[in-house]
Amino acid sequence: MISLLPLPQSVSFSDGLFVLRAGMAVEACTELERVATWLTTAVGRAGVPLTPVSAGEESRANRAVGVRLTVAEDLPAEAYRLDVDANGIGISGGDEAGVFYGAQALLQLLPERVFRSAAVADVESMSVPFSQIRDEPRFGWRGVLLDVARHFMPKHDLLRFIDLMAMHRLNLLHLHLTDDQGWRVEIVSRPRLTEIGGWRVESQVGPPPHSPANGRPHGGFYTQDDIREIVAYARQRFIEIVPEIDIPGHSRAAIAAYPELGIGVGDDASATPAPAVATTWGVHAEVLNLEDSTVQFFRDVFTEIMDLFPSAYIGLGGDECPTDLWREDARTQELMRARGIATEDGAREWFVEQIAEHIIARGRRPYGWDELLEGTPPPGTVVASWRGMRGALAGVRRGYDVVACPDDKAYLDYRQSDDPDEPIPFGALLSLRDTYSFEPIPADATPEEARRVLGGQANLWTEHMDSPRTVDYYAYPRLCAIAEVLWSRRRATFEAFSARLDDHLRRLDALGVEYRRPTGPLPWQRRPEVEGQPLTAEQHAEHVAALVSGIAV
Ligand code: ACM
């Protein structure tokens, strides 16, 4: 029996095998040429060269057709049907994406060597069991956040990350591009953002505040052409990239590059030296000031970002914004009075609103963290509920679309087990079983409110992931569980999921993914030299409850 992951809506196998042989055709209409090429490349490099042909083309008469790709009017977007019988393999989708997901399912019906980049056996065929699959995703937002600010992910590794997402039918990559510790996207009109903000002199190794630094510079950024390439590559795999520029907190890299964006410079430049790009983790005090010139600076940044990323959603962060510097700064207090802003929390709302309106004016939707619900973000804003599910419930009740990424189910930087050998054990325990129990619809939501849950996402914050190898370890296999939660209309038991996952891990082995073994970290995946900061479930719940008290439900 073949294990499919994510679990399809329905699947049945019958006796018999279709043999997909070298030289067979993959027949597709023009609309499906991209998917045909993708499938032909995937199977071809693993040793079974196929030939894409246009439906109706003369030359197909000379070839046996192995795979037929079609668009089916009766299927919704992203849905697919896959039928394998003695006549061959048929994949129909409600749209191009649906056919692509059917092609991804087909790869899982083939021997796992199809996931290798070159042939490992001298066999120019692969057999496929007779089968019928009917499938359609549960949510339209099947996301993962990758924090490339804390640790930069080089472009070629990011492309691989996107391929792994596509394999799991995740369709949205939330790229966290800026933070206190780094600015990772070229902004042509403000070059110092990457010249200065794109690197730091060293990095803390372990949780803040006391872990030591490593004395080693870290940096990197994507040029605008890199971004265009990454966006196009993702789009070919039906993945939308949602960029995030985090404001008005988490902005120290920007302030290091352009000190006039921060507090305590300008007329009073001698009072506070400009900060350097942060080398330690945790929430930093530096925030953007409220000058018109600072708002204009970020309007210009967001204009370039919107030109680069065609996504319907544009992330502006809004989380974890300390207000102490605003409170203590005479110029900020003066600006607040002039703008009719009564409180420092109101100042954060005001800044976010300036940028949100700019995003809306360009026909996009602002996307931010659940702190936005401590104020009243503009209609159309999408809210990511991260401090548990309170933001998701509050958001849908107030008429906002929401994305669920509660930290206790979806924060993949949290430790995967109680094993003291877990590398840099941090946060609450978030086992594979815990991720599989993630439910994106808030328990108390009415059916109408539930429709405002666009879906969910896993978040990969990378303070403790200093290489793509480490990202593999934290992401997999927990991301397999979250992908299934977001895709599948049926929820299996954890035991049934685990049994399928055992087979799926062979695919990840073929791809070279350095996932966490069910038995725990391999010796070289441990970090015995770094002390962690694990929290018990109670400590964690208390911490989150205090954080979200500002959101009324
Ligand atoms: C967050 O984890 N600060 C969104």
Side-chain angles (χ1 to χ4, degrees):
M1 185 71 142
I2 286 174
S3 293
L4 295 163
L5 193 155
L7 182 66
Q9 197 165 14
S10 80
V11 53
S12 62
F13 291 103
S14 47
D15 288 342
L17 294 171
F18 175 75
V19 182
L20 190 61
R21 294 182 197 286
M24 282 182 163
V26 175
E27 185 190 86
C29 59
T30 319
E31 188 189 343
L32 296 175
E33 257 170 24
R34 279 197 309 174
V35 182
T37 303
W38 179 87
L39 179 63
T40 308
T41 306
V43 179
R45 64 182 191 171
V48 183
L50 304 174
T51 306
V53 300
S54 299
E57 199 178 76
E58 280 304 303
S59 63
R60 98 194 136 107
N62 309 327
R63 298 185 176 274
V65 176
V67 187
R68 279 184 190 79
L69 307 180
T70 49
V71 173
E73 304 292 330
D74 62 320
L75 289 177
E78 298 197 303
Y80 71 89
R81 276 195 294 262
L82 172 59
D83 294 282
V84 184
D85 58 29
N87 297 320
I89 300 161
I91 301 174
S92 313
D95 59 1
E96 210 187 343
V99 178
F100 179 70
Y101 296 136
Q104 288 283 2
L106 170 61
L107 293 195
Q108 297 194 357
L109 295 177
L110 298 173
E112 70 224 12
R113 64 188 164 87
V114 77
F115 290 98
R116 295 188 179 272
S117 300
V120 290
D122 199 13
V123 192
E124 289 205 322
S125 67
M126 290 187 184
S127 22
V128 199
F130 289 175
S131 42
Q132 267 201 344
I133 300 177
R134 302 286 177 269
D135 206 3
E136 182 185 347
R138 181 174 176 211
F139 292 107
W141 186 300
R142 303 184 300 278
V144 52
L145 171 146
L146 183 65
D147 168 12
V148 295
R150 271 51 175 270
H151 280 103
F152 180 65
M153 182 172 281
K155 187 191 73 184
H156 66 275
D157 296 296
L158 183 57
L159 298 178
R160 169 183 178 272
F161 187 85
I162 288 168
D163 277 324
L164 291 172
M165 284 179 66
M167 173 190 184
H168 292 89
R169 281 166 246 165
L170 294 163
N171 67 347
L172 190 139
L173 173 58
H174 171 172
L175 261 193
H176 183 75
L177 286 163
T178 68
D179 215 302
D180 298 312
Q181 298 83 4
W183 184 285
R184 307 286 176 218
V185 54
E186 178 188 20
I187 301 296
V188 171
S189 65
R190 303 293 195 286
R192 287 163 61 90
L193 285 170
T194 44
E195 286 167 13
I196 307 285
W199 69 283
R200 57 179 180 261
V201 295
E202 61 181 2
S203 307
Q204 185 163 45
V205 181
H210 300 303
S211 300
N214 61 4
R216 179 181 181 186
H218 178 84
F221 67 91
Y222 308 112
T223 66
Q224 294 211 342
D225 270 350
D226 289 340
I227 294 287
R228 291 185 188 98
E229 176 188 355
I230 292 161
V231 166
Y233 189 89
R235 189 167 247 203
Q236 285 166 3
R237 287 148 184 80
F238 304 92
I239 292 171
E240 178 171 353
I241 303 195
V242 175
E244 181 191 353
I245 303 292
D246 203 346
I247 53 142
H250 289 280
S251 294
R252 191 159 134 174
I255 297 167
Y258 291 94
E260 63 270 28
L261 300 173
I263 303 286
V265 292
D267 287 349
D268 198 13
S270 58
T272 318
V277 177
T279 58
T280 55
W281 314 126
V283 176
H284 289 267
E286 286 77 14
V287 289
L288 299 176
N289 64 39
L290 308 183
E291 303 286 348
D292 287 336
S293 55
T294 298
V295 172
Q296 190 55 46
F297 182 108
F298 276 90
R299 284 199 189 108
D300 293 346
V301 166
F302 274 87
T303 297
E304 287 196 36
I305 289 292
M306 286 187 274
D307 287 345
L308 279 175
F309 293 92
S311 168
Y313 311 97
I314 300 291
L316 47 63
D319 58 323
E320 296 179 318
C321 178
T323 51
D324 299 345
L325 291 182
W326 284 339
R327 191 171 301 112
E328 292 158 12
D329 179 54
R331 173 68 181 155
T332 300
Q333 293 297 319
E334 182 188 317
L335 283 169
M336 283 171 58
R337 276 191 297 279
R339 302 190 191 295
I341 302 168
T343 64
E344 286 74 26
D345 285 336
R348 185 197 63 222
E349 267 182 72
W350 177 84
F351 201 108
V352 165
E353 192 181 323
Q354 305 310 301
I355 299 304
E357 295 296 354
H358 181 60
I359 292 170
I360 291 167
R362 311 244 331 183
R364 314 291 186 88
R365 297 179 70 180
Y367 172 49
W369 300 106
D370 60 28
E371 279 88 342
L372 299 194
L373 294 173
E374 292 165 20
T376 305
T381 300
V382 177
V383 177
S385 182
W386 71 277
R387 298 170 298 179
M389 290 293 282
R390 190 176 170 106
L393 187 59
V396 295
R397 291 207 167 147
R398 289 169 58 187
Y400 293 103
D401 287 345
V402 305
V403 173
C405 49
D407 67 328
D408 59 341
K409 301 290 182 192
Y411 266 40
L412 301 187
D413 54 331
Y414 288 2
R415 62 203 166 92
Q416 308 199 47
S417 78
D418 273 329
D419 183 343
D421 283 336
E422 254 348 303
I424 318 185
F426 175 79
L429 170 63
L430 182 57
S431 66
L432 179 65
R433 182 186 284 271
D434 294 328
T435 52
Y436 197 66
S437 71
F438 173 31
E439 171 47 55
I441 307 274
D444 296 331
T446 64
E448 193 199 336
E449 289 164 352
R451 279 194 287 281
R452 295 199 193 102
V453 180
L454 302 181
Q457 64 182 42
N459 292 347
L460 276 161
W461 300 106
T462 58
E463 288 93 332
H464 310 304
M465 300 173 213
D466 61 2
S467 76
R469 295 184 76 176
T470 322
V471 171
D472 272 10
Y473 178 84
Y474 281 86
Y476 291 100
R478 291 184 295 183
L479 199 47
C480 306
I482 289 190
E484 178 154 312
V485 164
L486 297 174
W487 174 277
S488 296
R489 294 181 158 248
R490 304 192 273 162
R491 184 72 68 108
T493 62
F494 178 68
E495 287 65 31
F497 165 77
S498 299
R500 276 182 292 113
L501 182 64
D502 281 346
D503 292 337
H504 188 70
L505 293 181
R506 305 288 79 76
R507 299 177 187 127
L508 298 185
D509 284 330
L511 285 160
V513 177
E514 297 189 73
Y515 57 85
R516 181 188 184 277
R517 299 291 184 279
T519 47
L522 296 164
W524 58 91
Q525 291 173 322
R526 298 176 194 152
R527 297 295 301 273
E529 83 287 15
V530 187
E531 216 172 305
Q533 200 175 66
L535 296 176
T536 63
E538 293 70 34
Q539 287 167 327
H540 176 260
E542 215 169 280
H543 171 70
V544 170
L547 284 179
V548 287
S549 58
I551 302 181
V553 178

